[in-house]
Amino acid sequence: MEVTEVLLPGVGIRYEFATARGARVGVVARRTGDTELLVYGSGDPDTPRHLLHLNRDEAEAVAEMLGAPRVAERFADLTREVPGLVSGQIEIGEHSPYRDRTLGDTRARTRTGASIVAIVRGEAVIASPTPARSLHAGDVLVVVGTEEGIAGVERIVGAV
């Protein structure tokens, strides 16, 4: 299935695709974390009809139900919106000093300026993890920041 992406500067990203039955569906992922689900009418393909407006928690719940691994991939796309901003994925290794400790213990944001925007744990994605979230070997951190910041997070968690 082909999914088109349209950057909405200052707003987020709009994804669009056609279903097997020919309906055109759009999802607007706002920078605030809110999400809008749209369907376009067949008479005017440029005029969407809002189906749902979901806040961050509701959108995360629906994403988990629908197959969360794609969510982490899409975080990387958000970095295109801001020049100089990059994203990376860092796995927590067996010997990481932060294995079985909390994300807050790493103080990664304070020390590097990079943000850990999600944790991928198996098939689940924990979007916007809180500092109290525990880290386990095999977790993959989705990090957004500068290249130096991401390398700093990698050094901190000992994943290199």
Side-chain angles (χ1 to χ4, degrees), residues 53-129:
H53 181 102
L54 305 170
N55 67 28
R56 182 184 300 266
D57 291 339
E58 296 161 342
E60 288 174 11
V62 170
E64 286 189 29
M65 288 183 250
L66 296 176
R70 284 188 57 91
V71 173
E73 295 171 19
R74 297 302 178 198
F75 276 121
D77 295 336
L78 291 174
T79 60
R80 283 191 245 152
E81 196 170 339
V82 180
L85 196 63
V86 295
S87 67
Q89 297 186 6
I90 301 169
E91 185 173 342
I92 300 293
E94 280 291 327
H95 304 291
S96 169
Y98 293 99
R99 188 188 87 184
D100 299 325
R101 293 176 60 187
T102 67
L103 178 61
D105 288 343
T106 67
R107 297 183 49 242
R109 172 115 174 101
T110 301
R111 296 165 68 185
T112 68
S115 296
I116 297 170
V117 298
I119 299 171
V120 179
R121 181 172 293 154
E123 294 294 316
V125 173
I126 303 161
S128 302

Side-chain angles (χ1 to χ4, degrees), residues 7-8 10 16-17 27 31 33-35 49-50 63-64 66 75 92-93 95 102 105 124 131 134-135 143 145-146 160:
L7 292 177
L8 305 172
E16 294 178 354
F17 63 93
V27 175
R31 296 177 72 183
D34 287 0
T35 302
R49 182 172 53 103
H50 284 90
E64 286 189 29
L66 296 176
F75 276 121
I92 300 293
H95 304 291
T102 67
D105 288 343
S134 62
L135 301 174
V143 185
T146 63
V160 187

Side-chain angles (χ1 to χ4, degrees), residues 145-159:
T146 63
E147 288 188 26
E148 295 81 18
I150 292 171
V153 172
E154 196 167 22
R155 281 191 299 276
I156 290 169
V157 300

